[in-house]
Amino acid sequence: MIALRAEGLSLGYDGAPVVSGVDLAIEPGELFAVAGASGCGKSTLLRAFAGLLPPRAGTLLAGDEPVRGTSPDRALVFQDDALLPWRTARRNVELPLAIRGVPRSERRARAAEWLARVGLAGQERRLPGQLSGGMRQRVQLARTLAGAPRAVLMDEPFGALDAQTRAAMQRLLIEVRDASPATVVFVTHDVDEALLLGDRVAVLAPDGVRDLVDVPHPRDVDARGAPEVAAARTRILTALEPVLEAEPCAPRP
């Protein structure tokens, strides 16, 4: 079974097209990266997979079922951590579990478990304003994975972090992903990040997927300089070049 599928997918806002002709099949448990120029449909595609944007045309499936709205099986992670400032780290992680009616004792245990897994044991009672940007993103990641979604949709979640914190969050994602069977779709404009994290990289343009690249040695930091990784990088950049040289992509509303 395919985890997420798009066939002839076209998306847009208020009658204005953003991306069209998208064909993708994402495997269960895959960490699938989507790269492309800013404004060329990456975030729009994630919103559609999350059930927040209906297709203008084409087919969009989660498993064997059409995507017709939001679902706890598909969790969206934003660049902005979107934490509630009046709730502690633990209570932020608990929130989606509480909405789903998970008993208090279970949701507290799951929140504590995932906060520990992302390196925040002992920080459970801190408010978001008392945490650094990287720590807030760790809370967001814990909140997402505590809900045990089948698919995690990540919209440039590390883009606003400094280089050192971003590298730490990349390592953390690699580590905690092993503790979760979820399929991950990771949007980024950073080709090196896509190559580090992705099993495959789709190069997205307004007219669909320009290339789909299998990544050699995914999540192996030591393999970054390998010739086959360099070849994959060149292939991605070659697919991106016509998009970057074309007219600017339409901004998302």
Side-chain angles (χ1 to χ4, degrees), residues 54-228:
R56 292 161 56 92
T59 301
L60 191 62
L61 301 174
D64 294 328
E65 299 295 325
V67 175
R68 293 196 175 97
T70 59
S71 167
D73 282 338
R74 300 185 307 278
L76 189 56
V77 178
F78 300 96
Q79 185 177 116
D80 180 358
D81 57 67
L83 301 179
L84 297 181
W86 59 88
R87 295 179 71 99
T88 64
R90 176 181 60 77
R91 293 186 67 227
N92 264 287
V93 175
E94 284 185 38
L95 181 60
L97 301 174
I99 291 172
R100 290 164 57 181
V102 175
R104 177 180 296 182
S105 60
E106 181 181 346
R107 66 180 187 247
R108 285 192 171 184
R110 284 164 68 173
E113 175 189 359
W114 277 103
L115 284 169
R117 286 186 180 182
V118 300
L120 291 179
Q123 309 297 322
E124 296 89 349
R125 296 186 179 182
R126 291 203 173 193
L127 295 170
Q130 299 172 309
L131 302 173
S132 68
M135 293 171 78
R136 290 194 298 272
Q137 280 292 8
R138 288 170 184 255
V139 175
Q140 180 175 211
L141 185 59
R143 180 178 62 185
T144 300
L145 295 175
R150 294 184 180 179
V152 178
L153 311 170
M154 308 189 77
D155 190 3
E156 300 195 56
F158 311 145
L161 303 176
D162 63 81
Q164 183 176 358
T165 305
R166 183 172 186 164
M169 288 301 300
Q170 289 168 348
R171 291 193 298 271
L172 177 64
L173 178 60
I174 292 169
E175 292 170 4
V176 300
R177 183 181 175 277
D178 292 337
S180 169
T183 302
V184 177
V185 183
F186 191 99
V187 158
T188 180
H189 66 274
D190 186 324
V191 173
D192 290 324
E193 183 171 63
L195 283 167
L196 173 64
L197 298 175
D199 296 300
R200 291 185 294 162
V201 179
V203 179
L204 190 66
D207 58 354
V209 177
R210 289 290 179 90
D211 202 355
L212 188 58
V213 179
D214 290 318
V215 178
H217 315 298
R219 295 177 289 287
D220 185 350
V221 175
D222 295 332
R224 287 184 178 184
E228 56 269 34

